[in-house]
């Protein structure tokens, strides 16, 4: 009897669990496309309820028979009478509970039956609608039919389509393509009632921060690279705080909106290989991590809201990526005003954001060490003209790429910082300098290979120190007369530089932060002149990078050569032993003070990034003047606002123009110069003490500008070419730019003289014009 009662009770529990499973497996409202599935499961759900009710009724009958059998026995005699009574008291309670459950199940069955009948009626109407969907023929949506055709064949290729409710029916295709994507018009039978959006709340104002502790928490742990960056931020914390206070005073309470910023360091993700973290402790390149640490510190000190990711999973979570393989748009609007990433992160974002990447790519800022020239950035042009590489063709605005040094004005100069010394520290360094001590630039043994000749000459005059990494035995590439310290922590390396007189480079690595650190610590930097200059055309290192760098990489560190120069920087021909030896003798006699360009101080970097965040906007586009072939008499362009300068050598923005566009940099800083053949606009502007400014190209991309410069044009054509606007004087042909993304300060040709937009710049801050703050 107890066994029968137990079986009955557990049967009841099983049935209740099964019923719960029926309803939990098919939750109404999971998506707009679940109605059909619910209706198809109606008969099954109703059958389960009926079977449960029947089984409960049978269980009750068997319990009743069992009770009557017990009452007919003689177990009520003597002391044993209490045992059956004790047994059936709980049985009677169980009977009452079963009766109550049976009644509830019966009531539920009736109600569910009513709901399912209504669902079937509604489902038939919906099914009729779904079966009647036809691809609309709307000229405003020319791609609709093709996209529906693609969905028919490929909708199962990515689970994200099912996530958004696509189930293989024609209507689900059209609903997705009109409501999730935007290739088809809205369906008239869908509910398109949209609540009137409330005005956005006022933005919080960014306030300079007074503490970096929260930033260290945001960066996280678990990688040697992250530990390195956090150590650097801690080391420079006081300099960041002092610089923030100075800039705050200079801005005199200017209001700046707080931006929501995502920083995704793609090269540190496991998916990209994270080749840097294992090499942090083995002398690997640290320039990228130095720059990222300084970017994080600057953004945080300026008061913006940050999120930092170094994993693909975190990136997907922050962006709102739907489950699947990345073909669908984001599930909600992008919550970030700006995204700082690198080429690895850019590729990851494109792979997982679907169509949303194209929509939001104007918010991206790409940290790009060596730069991306417009000819490599424009996908169609790069493919047609042979400029396509593994890293280019993103069709971004070239200024969205941010470089370590200002070597190409087509990109924005992001930079990094070097430690700034006070006057007491500078005097102490000068007093402790050892004039016969040199430190070699290069932590990897391969850099020393084949340099015996230079080292032998240097060893005649100076004691040579190295910081080459090794695990067990000294690298054979490092001569025995070199005092090798092995890989040094950053503060110990700084102490070594403060004693040394000379910091010498052997041609590699290119454009790293170490020479600036050496110069800031009172060293003279000696480097090799490259003849011919290194570029992607003649040197393996630059091959595959999205930049030609023609005639610009004339030395190991062009910025140090062009923007600092003697007495701090010496660039000589290492193939000429006499010149090399003479330079060493002169350097030993030369007294130099520690020097750091303002743009590489904490304040300089804060100033630059503040200006970028407040003024750079790549999400609004400006149109080019119409091509002559499409102009009508009623559509002639207004008179040029440019005028000849007083000495008639170049054009400037005319004070009498009566208007000035709201652009940044301001047009008052514009000067238009004509290059010589074989000269880039970068070179042309620099020769006049100016900087090429690609933002201004659109103001001189007009026929009348040629006339104002007394350039005779027998013909004028609009074409796609990164050298235009330009003139071929020998044939009197003028060319204007057809594609705005190809406006470029880089590039030259013997045939063309280029029209070059130049601007002034702030002393020590080449990225900003005099009135750019």
């Amino acid at each position: 009897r107890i066994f029968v009662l137990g079986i009955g009770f557990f049967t009841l529990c099983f049935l209740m669990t099964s019923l719960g499973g029926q309803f939990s497996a098919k939750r109404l409202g999971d998506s707009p496309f679940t109605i059909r599935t619910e209706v198809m499961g109606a008969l099954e759900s109703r059958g389960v309820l009926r079977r449960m009710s029947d089984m409960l009724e049978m269980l009750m009958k068997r319990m009743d028979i069992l009770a009557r059998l017990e009452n007919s026995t003689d177990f009520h005699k003597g002391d044993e009478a209490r045992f059956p009574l004790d047994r059936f008291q709980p049985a009677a309670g169980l009977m009452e509970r079963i009766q109550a459950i049976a009644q509830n199940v019966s009531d539920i069955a009736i109600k569910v039956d009513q709901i399912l009948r209504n669902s079937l009626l509604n489902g038939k109407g919906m099914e009729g609608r779904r079966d009647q969907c036809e691809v609309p023929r709307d000229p405003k949506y020319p791609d609709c039919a093709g996209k529906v055709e693609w969905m028919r064949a490929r909708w199962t290729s990515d689970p994200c389509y099912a996530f958004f409710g696509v189930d293989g029916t024609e209507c689900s295709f059209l609903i997705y393509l009109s409501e999730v994507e935007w290739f088809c018009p809205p369906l008239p039978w869908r509910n398109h009632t949209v609540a009137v959006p409330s005005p956005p709340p006022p933005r919080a104002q960014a306030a300079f921060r007074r503490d970096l502790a929260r930033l260290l928490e945001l960066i996280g742990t678990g990688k040697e690279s992250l530990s390195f960056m956090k150590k650097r931020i801690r080391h420079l914390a006081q300099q960041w705080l002092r610089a923030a206070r100075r800039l705050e005073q200079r801005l005199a309470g200017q209001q700046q909106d707080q931006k929501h910023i995502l920083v995704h360091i793609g090269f540190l993700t496991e998916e990209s290989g994270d080749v840097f973290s294992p090499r942090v402790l083995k002398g690997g390149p640290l320039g990228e991590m130095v720059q990222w640490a300084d970017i994080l510190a600057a953004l945080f000190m300026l008061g913006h809201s940050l999120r930092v990711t170094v994993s693909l999973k975190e990136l997907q979570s922050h962006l709102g990526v739907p489950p699947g393989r990345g073909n669908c748009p984001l599930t909600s609007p992008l919550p970030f005003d700006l995204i700082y990433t690198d080429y690895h992160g850019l590729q990851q974002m494109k792979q997982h954001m679907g169509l949303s990447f194209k929509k939001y790519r104007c918010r991206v800022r790409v940290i790009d060490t060596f730069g991306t020239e417009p000819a490599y950035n424009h996908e169609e042009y790069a493919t047609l003209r042979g400029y396509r590489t593994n890293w280019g063709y993103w069709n971004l605005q070239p200024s969205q790429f941010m470089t370590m040094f200002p070597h190409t004005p087509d990109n924005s100069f992001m930079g990094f910082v070097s430690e700034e010394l006070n006057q007491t520290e500078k005097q102490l360094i000068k007093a402790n300098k050892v004039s016969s001590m040199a430190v070699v630039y290069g932590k990897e043994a391969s850099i020393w290979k084949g340099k015996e000749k230079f080292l032998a000459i240097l060893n005649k005059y100076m004691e040579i120190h190295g910081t080459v990494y090794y695990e067990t035995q000294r690298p054979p590439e490092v001569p025995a007369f070199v005092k090798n310290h092995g890989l040094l922590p950053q503060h110990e390396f700084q102490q070594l530089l403060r004693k040394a007189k000379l910091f010498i480079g052997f041609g590699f690595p290119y454009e790293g932060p170490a020479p600036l650190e050496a110069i800031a610590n009172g060293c003279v930097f000696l480097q090799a002149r490259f003849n011919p200059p290194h570029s992607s055309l003649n040197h393996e290192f630059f091959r595959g990078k999205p930049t030609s760098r023609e005639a610009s990489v004339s030395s190991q560190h062009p910025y140090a050569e062009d923007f600092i120069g003697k007495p701090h920087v010496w660039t000589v021909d290492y193939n000429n032993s006499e010149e090399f030896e003479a330079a060493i003798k002169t350097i030993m006699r030369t007294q130099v003070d520690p020097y750091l360009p303002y743009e590489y101080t904490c304040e300089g970097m804060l100033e630059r990034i503040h200006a970028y965040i407040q003024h750079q906007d790549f999400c609004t586009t400006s149109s080019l003047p119409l091509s002559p072939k499409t102009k009508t008499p009623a559509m002639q362009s207004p008179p040029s606002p440019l005028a000849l300068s007083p000495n008639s050598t170049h054009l400037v923005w005319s004070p009498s123009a009566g208007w000035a566009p709201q652009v940044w940099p301001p047009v008052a800083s514009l000067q238009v110069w004509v290059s010589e053949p074989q000269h880039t606009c970068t070179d042309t502007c620099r020769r006049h003490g100016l900087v090429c400014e690609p933002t201004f190209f659109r103001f001189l991309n007009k026929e009348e500008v040629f006339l104002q410069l007394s350039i005779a044009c027998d013909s004028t054509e609009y074409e796609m070419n990164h050298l235009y606007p330009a003139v071929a004087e020998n044939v009197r042909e003028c060319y204007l730019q057809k594609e705005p993304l190809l406006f470029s300060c880089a590039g030259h040709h013997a045939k063309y003289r280029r029209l070059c937009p130049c601007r002034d710049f702030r002393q020590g801050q080449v990225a900003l014009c005099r009135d750019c703050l």
Side-chain angles (χ1 to χ4, degrees), residues 8-78:
F9 179 74
F10 284 112
T11 302
L12 175 63
C13 293
F14 174 75
L15 287 169
M16 292 299 291
T17 304
S18 298
L19 180 64
Q22 286 289 331
F23 287 111
S24 65
K26 295 182 175 70
R27 295 186 299 272
L28 291 172
D30 271 354
S31 80
F33 308 100
T34 53
I35 295 175
R36 188 168 187 263
T37 307
E38 297 300 324
V39 173
M40 294 300 290
L43 296 176
E44 182 184 353
S45 300
R46 186 158 43 198
V48 171
L49 287 168
R50 285 176 177 172
R51 288 196 298 274
M52 182 176 177
S53 182
D54 292 342
M55 292 184 71
L56 285 168
E57 186 176 353
M58 184 181 298
L59 180 61
M60 289 174 60
K61 287 179 180 179
R62 291 182 178 180
M63 290 285 289
D64 188 54
I65 293 171
L66 183 61
R68 285 200 298 272
L69 286 173
E70 290 296 334
N71 289 334
S72 65
T73 64
D74 58 352
F75 275 83
H76 297 290
K77 297 178 182 178

Side-chain angles (χ1 to χ4, degrees), residues 477-489:
E477 294 88 348
V478 181
F481 56 77
V482 174
K483 185 176 180 180
N484 186 31
H485 299 262
L487 190 64
L488 293 177

Side-chain angles (χ1 to χ4, degrees), residues 8 14 50 89 118 140 152 186 213 217 266 314 334 386 418 458 463 477 494 563 596 617 638 675 684 701 730 748 765:
F14 174 75
R50 285 176 177 172
Q89 279 177 348
N118 292 334
K140 296 179 181 177
R152 288 193 194 108
E217 295 176 11
E314 288 178 310
L334 185 69
S418 287
L458 181 61
E463 181 182 73
E477 294 88 348
Q494 293 273 356
F563 289 87
L596 180 62
D617 180 7
S675 78
T684 300
N701 194 52
N730 56 336
H748 59 81
Q765 184 72 287

